[in-house]
Amino acid sequence: MRVAVVGAGVIGVTSAFAVKSAFPSYDVKIFANEFSPNTTGDGSAGLWSPYLLGDTSAEDIIRWAGRTFRWFEQLWKTGLSSETGVTLLPVTNVTCDHKDVEIKWKKLVYGFRNLSKKELERLSDEHRSNYTQGYRFISYTAEPVMLLPWLMKKFVALGGRVETRNIKMLHQLAEEGYNLIINCSGLGARELVADKTVVPIRGQVYRVNASWTMQCLMRNDGDACNYIIPNVNNVVMGGTNQENDFVRSVREDDSKHIYDGCIRMMPSLKGSKTIRAWVGFRPGRPRVRLEYESLSTPAGKEFKVIHNYGHGGSGVTLSWGCAVDVVAMIRNLKVPELNSKL
């Protein structure tokens, strides 16, 4: 049984690792034109927190995000933080929005609670703002720049293979003898499977040296957002969520928005040293696409595809949960060559 995984971001690598772990006899190979540390995920802070998921159902988000949260918990408890970048951190999220926000995933995290009126007034005074609501919880970060190499090492140790190659059409791989293709192409799905509902959600961030930062602070007001997320070796200051924006260069007005907003929330960052500025494109979609499809090559040969893309700003948050569903879908496929050795 030959399985091709297209894409080497956090969705692709977790899917490949999960499939190879569940089906050791399968020949699983990852195809991508970029691998870590050059994927979009490598620039992200890796905070577990559902974000920019469009109309994806709450049921799906809770299932995928919950499995991933418990996976991070297992990695953290078994002493793998130094290898995987999994860290436990307190998070404060505030907004000036007057529309009530229901946090449907709050039971998945540790210590979730809404902020009191007194706490909102204090934070508003400190941040020179006018917060109307907010909440606190404890969550994990799993930095892709550390998690991806660890996963890849585990995948290769199981016998998985990788190839640097830009796949233009899925049927190429079917013609090369792959029985199943797992499409984790992210934003690349716009061209690979002509899915124009996938759009870039531009994110600009800064990484700074600020080892004294011990908590995540986040402010979300529609398109205006700021966040401060500590990582193992630096701190991420952000950010933007500009939909359908293909500009890869750093913008000065966005830099000012990030700097001014983050300094207002945490003045001590004013003395931090900038390591790098970075721009990446989250793969936005009306909803995450995780489904099976049967396709045919130009010559009429049928092949199987599992699509797993469109995770918006939640690639890390949903990664392991979606990978577990990919494994379950393979088990449920009534195809002899897929199930003969299970």
Side-chain angles (χ1 to χ4, degrees), residues 246 311 319:
F246 289 86
H311 297 76
S319 58

Side-chain angles (χ1 to χ4, degrees), residues 173-214:
L173 297 169
E175 290 167 348
E176 294 172 16
Y178 287 92
N179 312 89
L180 173 66
I181 300 167
I182 304 173
N183 173 22
C184 304
S185 55
L187 187 61
R190 285 177 57 86
E191 305 302 328
L192 185 63
V193 292
D195 186 349
K196 300 305 181 184
T197 69
V198 182
V199 297
I201 303 176
R202 181 179 177 274
Q204 180 173 319
V205 301
Y206 278 83
R207 286 187 178 270
V208 299
N209 282 326
S211 58
W212 56 87
T213 306
M214 303 294 181

Side-chain angles (χ1 to χ4, degrees), residues 10 13 16 19-20 51 70-71 119 156 165 181 197 208-209 220 226 236 261 295 297 299 312:
V10 68
V13 178
V19 171
K20 186 61 181 174
Y51 184 54
R70 292 189 294 272
W71 181 52
E119 288 172 316
V156 172
R165 180 175 161 196
I181 300 167
T197 69
V208 299
N209 282 326
N220 278 302
N226 283 113
V236 177
L295 298 175
T297 68

